[in-house]
Amino acid sequence: MSVIRLAVFDCDGTLSDGQAGVCHAMEVAFAEAGLVAPPRALVRRIVGLSLPQAVRQLAPDASTGQHDAAVTAYKAAFRQSREDGSLREPLFDGIVDLLHRLHANGWALAVATGKSDRGLAATLGANGLGDLFAATHTADRHPSKPHPAMLQAAMADVLADAANTVMIGDTVYDMEMAAAAGVQAIGVSWGYHEPAELLAAGARGVADDAYELEALLDG
């Protein structure tokens, strides 16, 4: 049997740049919950976590009721921005061609993301990428990163083992999830955490563009 090589990608900050939509929805959510909105720099730091965990981290002193209200309002604000056409989640340069090359070269592809099932499907569908991924796993069905459940499920879906699986992401949470699952991790520099942080969290390399990422995967 041939060895199955699996590349698992984070979405926001790795495949697509959705920071503007995330920051806007979080500001609306905090206002609806009666909370002072955090600076956008802090909001960008929690991209990748599941929504409830992100809200708790941004507002640790708020009540459970305020956390729940913020989560509900965030979902509504994000859904509204998608429906009214104001949401922009462009793919980063070179991502489309990279994914097609990896797929053509025999890599199994998957996504592990803090986005919802609906949000991920919309992002992939809008960019014509849905058919490239053999597995997609979100915070709707798994514990938040850095818990390894999403990675473990992706490996089970395609029958890949940890030795031949790589997690690609832009945050420390992605690198820590990879370590928890016993798989290799590669960081990207164009997302929301600094390269030095990714390396310190276990990345074996950090790519500055799609071609460098491809080289690290093949290295």
PDB file of all heavy atoms in Angstrom, residues 8 146-153 155 161-163 165 167 173-184:
ATOM      1  N   VAL A   8      -2.858  19.161   6.591  1.00  0.00           N
ATOM      2  CA  VAL A   8      -4.045  19.723   7.239  1.00  0.00           C
ATOM      3  C   VAL A   8      -3.836  21.229   7.413  1.00  0.00           C
ATOM      4  O   VAL A   8      -2.855  21.654   8.030  1.00  0.00           O
ATOM      5  CB  VAL A   8      -4.308  19.071   8.609  1.00  0.00           C
ATOM      6  CG1 VAL A   8      -5.616  19.603   9.198  1.00  0.00           C
ATOM      7  CG2 VAL A   8      -4.358  17.553   8.486  1.00  0.00           C
ATOM      8  N   PRO A 146      -6.083  24.136  21.379  1.00  0.00           N
ATOM      9  CA  PRO A 146      -5.144  23.178  20.803  1.00  0.00           C
ATOM     10  C   PRO A 146      -5.460  21.707  21.066  1.00  0.00           C
ATOM     11  O   PRO A 146      -4.585  20.850  20.899  1.00  0.00           O
ATOM     12  CB  PRO A 146      -3.828  23.567  21.474  1.00  0.00           C
ATOM     13  CG  PRO A 146      -4.231  24.040  22.825  1.00  0.00           C
ATOM     14  CD  PRO A 146      -5.544  24.748  22.617  1.00  0.00           C
ATOM     15  N   HIS A 147      -6.691  21.376  21.475  1.00  0.00           N
ATOM     16  CA  HIS A 147      -7.059  19.967  21.621  1.00  0.00           C
ATOM     17  C   HIS A 147      -6.840  19.260  20.290  1.00  0.00           C
ATOM     18  O   HIS A 147      -7.154  19.819  19.232  1.00  0.00           O
ATOM     19  CB  HIS A 147      -8.519  19.855  22.048  1.00  0.00           C
ATOM     20  CG  HIS A 147      -8.912  18.502  22.521  1.00  0.00           C
ATOM     21  ND1 HIS A 147      -9.135  17.453  21.654  1.00  0.00           N
ATOM     22  CD2 HIS A 147      -9.102  18.006  23.781  1.00  0.00           C
ATOM     23  CE1 HIS A 147      -9.475  16.382  22.355  1.00  0.00           C
ATOM     24  NE2 HIS A 147      -9.452  16.685  23.642  1.00  0.00           N
ATOM     25  N   PRO A 148      -6.318  18.038  20.288  1.00  0.00           N
ATOM     26  CA  PRO A 148      -5.957  17.373  19.026  1.00  0.00           C
ATOM     27  C   PRO A 148      -7.104  16.709  18.280  1.00  0.00           C
ATOM     28  O   PRO A 148      -6.882  16.102  17.229  1.00  0.00           O
ATOM     29  CB  PRO A 148      -4.944  16.317  19.485  1.00  0.00           C
ATOM     30  CG  PRO A 148      -5.385  15.956  20.870  1.00  0.00           C
ATOM     31  CD  PRO A 148      -5.859  17.277  21.470  1.00  0.00           C
ATOM     32  N   ALA A 149      -8.351  16.818  18.765  1.00  0.00           N
ATOM     33  CA  ALA A 149      -9.446  16.037  18.190  1.00  0.00           C
ATOM     34  C   ALA A 149      -9.632  16.259  16.695  1.00  0.00           C
ATOM     35  O   ALA A 149      -9.870  15.298  15.943  1.00  0.00           O
ATOM     36  CB  ALA A 149     -10.746  16.348  18.925  1.00  0.00           C
ATOM     37  N   MET A 150      -9.550  17.507  16.234  1.00  0.00           N
ATOM     38  CA  MET A 150      -9.760  17.765  14.805  1.00  0.00           C
ATOM     39  C   MET A 150      -8.704  17.079  13.950  1.00  0.00           C
ATOM     40  O   MET A 150      -9.012  16.494  12.903  1.00  0.00           O
ATOM     41  CB  MET A 150      -9.780  19.276  14.531  1.00  0.00           C
ATOM     42  CG  MET A 150     -11.052  19.955  14.959  1.00  0.00           C
ATOM     43  SD  MET A 150     -11.197  21.668  14.377  1.00  0.00           S
ATOM     44  CE  MET A 150     -10.247  22.528  15.613  1.00  0.00           C
ATOM     45  N   LEU A 151      -7.459  17.145  14.395  1.00  0.00           N
ATOM     46  CA  LEU A 151      -6.388  16.483  13.648  1.00  0.00           C
ATOM     47  C   LEU A 151      -6.557  14.973  13.667  1.00  0.00           C
ATOM     48  O   LEU A 151      -6.357  14.296  12.647  1.00  0.00           O
ATOM     49  CB  LEU A 151      -5.028  16.864  14.249  1.00  0.00           C
ATOM     50  CG  LEU A 151      -4.306  18.058  13.657  1.00  0.00           C
ATOM     51  CD1 LEU A 151      -3.012  18.319  14.408  1.00  0.00           C
ATOM     52  CD2 LEU A 151      -4.017  17.838  12.179  1.00  0.00           C
ATOM     53  N   GLN A 152      -6.890  14.439  14.802  1.00  0.00           N
ATOM     54  CA  GLN A 152      -7.071  12.987  14.910  1.00  0.00           C
ATOM     55  C   GLN A 152      -8.203  12.520  14.004  1.00  0.00           C
ATOM     56  O   GLN A 152      -8.085  11.476  13.349  1.00  0.00           O
ATOM     57  CB  GLN A 152      -7.339  12.619  16.370  1.00  0.00           C
ATOM     58  CG  GLN A 152      -6.137  12.826  17.270  1.00  0.00           C
ATOM     59  CD  GLN A 152      -6.483  12.793  18.750  1.00  0.00           C
ATOM     60  OE1 GLN A 152      -7.633  13.006  19.139  1.00  0.00           O
ATOM     61  NE2 GLN A 152      -5.491  12.517  19.585  1.00  0.00           N
ATOM     62  N   ALA A 153      -9.275  13.292  13.936  1.00  0.00           N
ATOM     63  CA  ALA A 153     -10.393  12.921  13.069  1.00  0.00           C
ATOM     64  C   ALA A 153     -10.002  12.993  11.600  1.00  0.00           C
ATOM     65  O   ALA A 153     -10.395  12.130  10.798  1.00  0.00           O
ATOM     66  CB  ALA A 153     -11.589  13.833  13.347  1.00  0.00           C
ATOM     67  N   MET A 155      -7.013  12.550  10.323  1.00  0.00           N
ATOM     68  CA  MET A 155      -6.170  11.388  10.023  1.00  0.00           C
ATOM     69  C   MET A 155      -7.010  10.129   9.875  1.00  0.00           C
ATOM     70  O   MET A 155      -6.786   9.313   8.968  1.00  0.00           O
ATOM     71  CB  MET A 155      -5.111  11.214  11.109  1.00  0.00           C
ATOM     72  CG  MET A 155      -4.021  12.266  11.069  1.00  0.00           C
ATOM     73  SD  MET A 155      -2.633  11.910  12.200  1.00  0.00           S
ATOM     74  CE  MET A 155      -3.372  12.358  13.791  1.00  0.00           C
ATOM     75  N   ASP A 161      -1.301   8.180   8.971  1.00  0.00           N
ATOM     76  CA  ASP A 161      -0.738   8.094  10.316  1.00  0.00           C
ATOM     77  C   ASP A 161      -0.031   9.395  10.671  1.00  0.00           C
ATOM     78  O   ASP A 161       0.221  10.253   9.819  1.00  0.00           O
ATOM     79  CB  ASP A 161       0.202   6.887  10.454  1.00  0.00           C
ATOM     80  CG  ASP A 161       1.363   6.901   9.478  1.00  0.00           C
ATOM     81  OD1 ASP A 161       1.831   8.006   9.110  1.00  0.00           O
ATOM     82  OD2 ASP A 161       1.815   5.815   9.086  1.00  0.00           O
ATOM     83  N   ALA A 162       0.276   9.534  11.951  1.00  0.00           N
ATOM     84  CA  ALA A 162       0.853  10.790  12.439  1.00  0.00           C
ATOM     85  C   ALA A 162       2.201  11.090  11.795  1.00  0.00           C
ATOM     86  O   ALA A 162       2.541  12.255  11.567  1.00  0.00           O
ATOM     87  CB  ALA A 162       0.990  10.742  13.959  1.00  0.00           C
ATOM     88  N   ALA A 163       2.966  10.063  11.488  1.00  0.00           N
ATOM     89  CA  ALA A 163       4.303  10.264  10.930  1.00  0.00           C
ATOM     90  C   ALA A 163       4.263  10.913   9.555  1.00  0.00           C
ATOM     91  O   ALA A 163       5.248  11.524   9.126  1.00  0.00           O
ATOM     92  CB  ALA A 163       5.049   8.937  10.860  1.00  0.00           C
ATOM     93  N   THR A 165       1.700  13.079   8.548  1.00  0.00           N
ATOM     94  CA  THR A 165       0.725  14.166   8.600  1.00  0.00           C
ATOM     95  C   THR A 165       1.412  15.449   9.019  1.00  0.00           C
ATOM     96  O   THR A 165       2.273  15.446   9.896  1.00  0.00           O
ATOM     97  CB  THR A 165      -0.401  13.830   9.592  1.00  0.00           C
ATOM     98  OG1 THR A 165      -1.107  12.668   9.127  1.00  0.00           O
ATOM     99  CG2 THR A 165      -1.381  14.980   9.731  1.00  0.00           C
ATOM    100  N   MET A 167       0.535  19.592  10.012  1.00  0.00           N
ATOM    101  CA  MET A 167      -0.425  20.662  10.289  1.00  0.00           C
ATOM    102  C   MET A 167       0.186  21.984   9.856  1.00  0.00           C
ATOM    103  O   MET A 167       1.311  22.311  10.239  1.00  0.00           O
ATOM    104  CB  MET A 167      -0.737  20.710  11.795  1.00  0.00           C
ATOM    105  CG  MET A 167      -1.686  21.843  12.194  1.00  0.00           C
ATOM    106  SD  MET A 167      -3.357  21.605  11.541  1.00  0.00           S
ATOM    107  CE  MET A 167      -3.940  23.322  11.438  1.00  0.00           C
ATOM    108  N   TYR A 173      -1.804  28.139  18.531  1.00  0.00           N
ATOM    109  CA  TYR A 173      -2.800  27.101  18.784  1.00  0.00           C
ATOM    110  C   TYR A 173      -2.665  25.950  17.785  1.00  0.00           C
ATOM    111  O   TYR A 173      -2.837  24.781  18.141  1.00  0.00           O
ATOM    112  CB  TYR A 173      -4.221  27.671  18.702  1.00  0.00           C
ATOM    113  CG  TYR A 173      -4.386  29.000  19.373  1.00  0.00           C
ATOM    114  CD1 TYR A 173      -4.897  30.103  18.672  1.00  0.00           C
ATOM    115  CD2 TYR A 173      -4.027  29.196  20.704  1.00  0.00           C
ATOM    116  CE1 TYR A 173      -5.051  31.345  19.278  1.00  0.00           C
ATOM    117  CE2 TYR A 173      -4.165  30.437  21.310  1.00  0.00           C
ATOM    118  CZ  TYR A 173      -4.669  31.500  20.596  1.00  0.00           C
ATOM    119  OH  TYR A 173      -4.816  32.732  21.177  1.00  0.00           O
ATOM    120  N   ASP A 174      -2.349  26.284  16.531  1.00  0.00           N
ATOM    121  CA  ASP A 174      -2.155  25.246  15.513  1.00  0.00           C
ATOM    122  C   ASP A 174      -0.925  24.395  15.826  1.00  0.00           C
ATOM    123  O   ASP A 174      -0.949  23.170  15.684  1.00  0.00           O
ATOM    124  CB  ASP A 174      -2.002  25.878  14.130  1.00  0.00           C
ATOM    125  CG  ASP A 174      -3.223  26.654  13.700  1.00  0.00           C
ATOM    126  OD1 ASP A 174      -4.336  26.114  13.798  1.00  0.00           O
ATOM    127  OD2 ASP A 174      -3.068  27.808  13.263  1.00  0.00           O
ATOM    128  N   MET A 175       0.150  25.067  16.236  1.00  0.00           N
ATOM    129  CA  MET A 175       1.385  24.342  16.538  1.00  0.00           C
ATOM    130  C   MET A 175       1.197  23.451  17.762  1.00  0.00           C
ATOM    131  O   MET A 175       1.665  22.299  17.790  1.00  0.00           O
ATOM    132  CB  MET A 175       2.530  25.332  16.793  1.00  0.00           C
ATOM    133  CG  MET A 175       2.769  26.371  15.685  1.00  0.00           C
ATOM    134  SD  MET A 175       3.167  25.679  14.061  1.00  0.00           S
ATOM    135  CE  MET A 175       1.607  25.907  13.180  1.00  0.00           C
ATOM    136  N   GLU A 176       0.484  23.946  18.755  1.00  0.00           N
ATOM    137  CA  GLU A 176       0.243  23.164  19.966  1.00  0.00           C
ATOM    138  C   GLU A 176      -0.692  21.995  19.684  1.00  0.00           C
ATOM    139  O   GLU A 176      -0.533  20.903  20.262  1.00  0.00           O
ATOM    140  CB  GLU A 176      -0.332  24.063  21.054  1.00  0.00           C
ATOM    141  CG  GLU A 176       0.660  25.099  21.577  1.00  0.00           C
ATOM    142  CD  GLU A 176       0.057  26.070  22.564  1.00  0.00           C
ATOM    143  OE1 GLU A 176      -1.192  26.170  22.615  1.00  0.00           O
ATOM    144  OE2 GLU A 176       0.826  26.733  23.281  1.00  0.00           O
ATOM    145  N   MET A 177      -1.665  22.181  18.811  1.00  0.00           N
ATOM    146  CA  MET A 177      -2.545  21.086  18.419  1.00  0.00           C
ATOM    147  C   MET A 177      -1.747  19.993  17.718  1.00  0.00           C
ATOM    148  O   MET A 177      -1.954  18.795  17.970  1.00  0.00           O
ATOM    149  CB  MET A 177      -3.659  21.598  17.503  1.00  0.00           C
ATOM    150  CG  MET A 177      -4.608  20.507  17.032  1.00  0.00           C
ATOM    151  SD  MET A 177      -6.058  21.111  16.131  1.00  0.00           S
ATOM    152  CE  MET A 177      -5.280  21.830  14.687  1.00  0.00           C
ATOM    153  N   ALA A 178      -0.833  20.397  16.831  1.00  0.00           N
ATOM    154  CA  ALA A 178       0.005  19.418  16.142  1.00  0.00           C
ATOM    155  C   ALA A 178       0.825  18.613  17.140  1.00  0.00           C
ATOM    156  O   ALA A 178       0.919  17.377  17.038  1.00  0.00           O
ATOM    157  CB  ALA A 178       0.919  20.128  15.146  1.00  0.00           C
ATOM    158  N   ALA A 179       1.417  19.293  18.107  1.00  0.00           N
ATOM    159  CA  ALA A 179       2.223  18.589  19.116  1.00  0.00           C
ATOM    160  C   ALA A 179       1.361  17.620  19.909  1.00  0.00           C
ATOM    161  O   ALA A 179       1.779  16.491  20.206  1.00  0.00           O
ATOM    162  CB  ALA A 179       2.890  19.604  20.038  1.00  0.00           C
ATOM    163  N   ALA A 180       0.146  18.041  20.251  1.00  0.00           N
ATOM    164  CA  ALA A 180      -0.743  17.174  21.026  1.00  0.00           C
ATOM    165  C   ALA A 180      -1.143  15.926  20.244  1.00  0.00           C
ATOM    166  O   ALA A 180      -1.385  14.868  20.835  1.00  0.00           O
ATOM    167  CB  ALA A 180      -1.982  17.954  21.446  1.00  0.00           C
ATOM    168  N   ALA A 181      -1.209  16.052  18.913  1.00  0.00           N
ATOM    169  CA  ALA A 181      -1.579  14.918  18.063  1.00  0.00           C
ATOM    170  C   ALA A 181      -0.368  14.112  17.603  1.00  0.00           C
ATOM    171  O   ALA A 181      -0.526  13.087  16.939  1.00  0.00           O
ATOM    172  CB  ALA A 181      -2.360  15.412  16.842  1.00  0.00           C
ATOM    173  N   GLY A 182       0.824  14.599  17.906  1.00  0.00           N
ATOM    174  CA  GLY A 182       2.034  13.884  17.512  1.00  0.00           C
ATOM    175  C   GLY A 182       2.366  13.998  16.047  1.00  0.00           C
ATOM    176  O   GLY A 182       3.010  13.100  15.486  1.00  0.00           O
ATOM    177  N   VAL A 183       1.981  15.120  15.415  1.00  0.00           N
ATOM    178  CA  VAL A 183       2.275  15.310  13.997  1.00  0.00           C
ATOM    179  C   VAL A 183       3.211  16.497  13.834  1.00  0.00           C
ATOM    180  O   VAL A 183       3.390  17.304  14.743  1.00  0.00           O
ATOM    181  CB  VAL A 183       0.985  15.531  13.163  1.00  0.00           C
ATOM    182  CG1 VAL A 183      -0.039  14.448  13.468  1.00  0.00           C
ATOM    183  CG2 VAL A 183       0.391  16.903  13.419  1.00  0.00           C
ATOM    184  N   GLN A 184       3.814  16.609  12.657  1.00  0.00           N
ATOM    185  CA  GLN A 184       4.682  17.734  12.360  1.00  0.00           C
ATOM    186  C   GLN A 184       3.858  19.010  12.178  1.00  0.00           C
ATOM    187  O   GLN A 184       2.680  18.954  11.835  1.00  0.00           O
ATOM    188  CB  GLN A 184       5.479  17.476  11.082  1.00  0.00           C
ATOM    189  CG  GLN A 184       6.412  16.281  11.150  1.00  0.00           C
ATOM    190  CD  GLN A 184       7.159  16.113   9.844  1.00  0.00           C
ATOM    191  OE1 GLN A 184       7.989  16.942   9.470  1.00  0.00           O
ATOM    192  NE2 GLN A 184       6.859  15.045   9.139  1.00  0.00           N
TER     193      GLN A 184
END
